[in-house]
Amino acid sequence: MSQPDPDAWRTQVRQWLATVLEPARGPQAAVEADLAVFHNLPEDEERLLLERCRAYHRARFDAGYQALTLPVEKGGAGLTAAHTAVFAQEESAFEVPPSTELISVTVRLVAMAVSLFGTDRQLHEHARAFLRTDLLACQLFSEPGAGSDLAALRTRARQEGEEWVIDGQKVWTSGAQFADYGLLLARSDPDVVKQAGITAFLVPMDAPGVEIRPIRQMSGGASFNEVFLSGVRVPDRLRIGRPGQGWEVATTTLAFERTASGSGNRRKGGTFTDVLALARSLGRTSDPLVRQRLADLYVRAALRAATVDRVARTSAAGGRPGPEASLTKLMASDLLTRTGQTATELMGARISADTGEPGTFAWTRHLLGAPGYRLAGGTDQIQRNLIGERVLKLPPEPRVDRAPFSQLPGN
């Protein structure tokens, strides 16, 4: 099937967006923007936000604009990464409902993983529902002792007939309290090397034995959770991929996560526009040092956007993101940190108390959340390792964990 010309397709996208969204507001909107990196909303407000996001994603799906690069037979539009970049550019001119971690994980991570590794039945019953956000899914990967070294996870899955029994603990799970399913990694074979003995499952979050405990963050929110699994029974039909294929499912999903985290079309925390509006409101734009800091921030934002576009355009249509996605994730976390630092320098003591000045004390939520973004989706150090070893082809770090998992120290 021939691909529509991206430039001609752009007009079609713009016309459709105008039927479902309002045009973006002017520069004054930056002063009123939500500057939080992670949401800090009461449960009822979080549910209302989720419903707004879901309504937009359902409209996108029904119009054929969801999962643009996913092959048609997998439930996507079968277009190229260039089309994705065009859609993001056009979307930025409209007031898109602010996304949440759970929506992003559902659409960009779990839906894509199930689409790529799922059976025909899973594609029909789950992948489409995730892409349309009829069902929501969280990510059950990290554990207290397996964060950066995810392959060291200890949650166990043992097969009993047509079911798997799962025991363990997960942590830092965004939106678990609102999710219908969780994409879970568990160790199904401890007698092989750690990466080879992992299997992936879709776990119903209301299954007996699943307990969700919110984690209160220093910014005041509780969007993250611990999830405990005690004798949770999952039917084999909810296994994603082959037994032992979980590490491939995980690395593919994490590559999508890094691409989503670094993408230029999703607002997360304060931006250069917000900092510029702040500087203007404080009358600081004539200060040469302030102008230098603003220029530096602008250049970094422009470089990140250009890198996002370059990575997107060089990705194969419908293919799996490569390690280059680590570049955009690393640049995104660095830019968030520098954005908060610049805002702090502009305000000085104003940032420590709510004086009633618009757009000032709100930056505390950005500052308290930005460090967490350097951990989410893989730490900055992990991203640098991936870039060094897989992009620059530098020699890998020495490994001492080549033995079967059950023979490693502490197991």
Side-chain angles (χ1 to χ4, degrees), residues 347-364 367:
M347 284 183 285
R350 285 184 178 94
I351 200 169
S352 63
D354 189 355
T355 63
E357 294 175 274
T360 55
F361 186 63
W363 279 99
T364 59
L367 289 174

Side-chain angles (χ1 to χ4, degrees), residues 205-225:
M205 296 303 288
D206 61 353
V210 176
E211 181 185 358
I212 301 169
R213 300 181 189 174
I215 299 173
R216 184 67 57 185
Q217 298 147 228
M218 64 179 175
S219 59
S223 58
F224 296 140
N225 302 271

Side-chain angles (χ1 to χ4, degrees), residues 222-290:
S223 58
F224 296 140
N225 302 271
E226 293 179 287
V227 179
F228 296 85
L229 305 108
S230 303
V232 178
R233 291 185 171 270
V234 177
D236 187 61
R237 61 181 174 79
L238 292 181
R239 171 174 43 83
I240 304 299
R242 304 182 307 274
Q245 197 181 9
W247 187 244
E248 183 181 355
V249 175
T251 54
T252 300
T253 304
L254 290 172
F256 281 119
E257 181 174 21
R258 288 157 191 152
T259 302
S261 295
S263 66
N265 64 328
R266 180 168 179 257
R267 180 185 176 89
K268 181 177 283 295
T271 65
F272 167 77
T273 303
D274 300 322
V275 178
L276 179 59
L278 175 66
R280 285 172 173 165
S281 69
L282 297 175
R284 300 289 305 279
T285 52
S286 60
D287 185 325
L289 293 179
V290 169

Side-chain angles (χ1 to χ4, degrees), residues 153-385:
L153 62 88
R154 286 178 166 77
T155 294
R156 296 297 180 96
R158 68 179 190 278
Q159 191 167 14
E160 292 185 359
E162 292 300 311
E163 291 183 320
W164 294 80
V165 181
I166 299 174
D167 293 277
Q169 178 187 357
K170 299 294 180 176
V171 73
W172 311 125
T173 305
S174 300
Q177 65 271 50
F178 305 109
D180 300 291
Y181 285 88
L183 179 61
L184 176 136
L185 300 177
R187 187 161 305 284
S188 54
D189 186 353
D191 296 323
V192 295
V193 295
K194 61 183 183 180
Q195 291 87 352
I198 298 171
T199 301
F201 302 91
L202 278 179
V203 176
M205 296 303 288
D206 61 353
V210 176
E211 181 185 358
I212 301 169
R213 300 181 189 174
I215 299 173
R216 184 67 57 185
Q217 298 147 228
M218 64 179 175
S219 59
S223 58
F224 296 140
N225 302 271
E226 293 179 287
V227 179
F228 296 85
L229 305 108
S230 303
V232 178
R233 291 185 171 270
V234 177
D236 187 61
R237 61 181 174 79
L238 292 181
R239 171 174 43 83
I240 304 299
R242 304 182 307 274
Q245 197 181 9
W247 187 244
E248 183 181 355
V249 175
T251 54
T252 300
T253 304
L254 290 172
F256 281 119
E257 181 174 21
R258 288 157 191 152
T259 302
S261 295
S263 66
N265 64 328
R266 180 168 179 257
R267 180 185 176 89
K268 181 177 283 295
T271 65
F272 167 77
T273 303
D274 300 322
V275 178
L276 179 59
L278 175 66
R280 285 172 173 165
S281 69
L282 297 175
R284 300 289 305 279
T285 52
S286 60
D287 185 325
L289 293 179
V290 169
R291 294 172 69 88
Q292 185 177 17
R293 290 303 302 268
L294 290 172
D296 178 75
L297 197 62
Y298 174 81
V299 169
R300 291 177 184 275
L303 285 173
R304 182 181 67 89
T307 304
V308 168
D309 183 66
R310 179 169 59 84
V311 170
R313 289 180 181 276
T314 56
S315 297
R320 305 174 189 180
E324 295 85 357
S326 293
L327 288 169
T328 60
K329 170 58 171 65
L330 189 61
M331 294 176 78
S333 59
D334 177 71
L335 184 60
L336 270 181
T337 301
R338 291 176 182 272
T339 297
Q341 290 172 344
T342 304
T344 302
E345 291 172 7
L346 286 169
M347 284 183 285
R350 285 184 178 94
I351 200 169
S352 63
D354 189 355
T355 63
E357 294 175 274
T360 55
F361 186 63
W363 279 99
T364 59
R365 296 176 64 189
H366 177 102
L367 289 174
L368 293 173
Y373 203 66
R374 301 180 69 175
L375 305 177
T379 67
D380 286 1
Q381 291 81 4
I382 290 295
Q383 308 308 331
R384 290 188 173 94
N385 270 2

